[in-house]
């Protein structure tokens, strides 16, 4: 794989779309679906997912492909699972689909079989 084929978009905010070139690139490539994975789900993944959805992208977060350093002590919320909490909020929003990796793979298989 030649890495030069794939651009790198730096961001300074907890939202990938804060770099306007990222949005332009996706538009130029005709991207319609974004799969969100990454680190610090309660910031980077959450905000990017919300903005992507508002910009009209079909947005799916793969919950078990996201992580965090936050825990119940960080947020003074005993017993909270941060990744599950953020995934649940986004899923309830009806703006962002939230799936586990295995669910996403099964969904892809169904699409291929139906076509």
């Amino acid at each position: 794989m030649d890495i030069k084929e794939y651009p790198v978009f730096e961001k300074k905010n907890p939202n990938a779309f804060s770099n306007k070139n990222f949005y332009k690139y996706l538009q130029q490539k005709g991207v319609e679906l974004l799969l969100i994975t990454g680190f610090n789900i309660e910031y980077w993944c959450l905000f990017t997912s919300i903005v992507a959805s508002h910009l009209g992208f079909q947005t799916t977060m793969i919950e078990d492909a996201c992580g965090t350093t936050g825990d119940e002590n960080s947020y003074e919320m005993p017993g909270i699972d941060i990744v599950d909490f953020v995934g649940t909020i986004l899923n309830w929003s009806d703006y962002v689909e939230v799936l586990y990796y295995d669910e996403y793979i099964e969904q892809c298989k169904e699409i291929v079989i139906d076509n």
Side-chain angles (χ1 to χ4, degrees):
M1 174 170 67
D2 184 5
I3 196 150
K4 294 175 187 170
E5 293 179 41
Y6 302 97
V8 173
F9 300 96
E10 294 184 26
K11 60 182 173 47
K12 295 186 176 20
N13 298 319
N15 157 23
F17 292 94
S18 63
N19 182 326
K20 302 301 180 208
N21 291 326
F22 179 62
Y23 181 57
K24 289 177 188 173
Y25 177 81
L26 296 176
Q27 286 182 309
Q28 289 170 350
K29 295 293 183 183
V31 173
E32 296 176 1
L33 167 67
L34 290 182
L35 299 176
I36 307 295
T37 65
F39 193 63
N40 281 346
I41 188 172
E42 68 274 35
Y43 298 111
W44 313 111
C45 299
L46 174 67
F47 295 132
T48 296
S49 294
I50 292 169
V51 173
S53 177
H54 284 273
L55 289 172
F57 292 97
Q58 179 185 345
T59 308
T60 300
M61 177 186 281
I62 308 298
E63 185 175 317
D64 54 349
C66 295
T68 184
T69 58
D71 62 15
E72 61 185 56
N73 296 320
S74 306
Y75 294 102
E76 299 177 359
M77 300 172 78
I80 192 166
D81 176 329
I82 304 300
V83 173
D84 184 58
F85 179 70
V86 172
T88 299
I89 289 170
L90 285 173
N91 201 39
W92 287 350
S93 75
D94 278 340
Y95 286 101
V96 176
E97 177 182 44
V98 179
L99 298 173
Y100 292 108
Y101 176 76
D102 290 342
E103 292 174 321
Y104 176 72
I105 295 301
E106 283 302 312
Q107 192 178 74
C108 290
K109 288 178 185 175
E110 290 172 12
I111 292 170
V112 170
I113 291 169
D114 288 344
N115 289 324

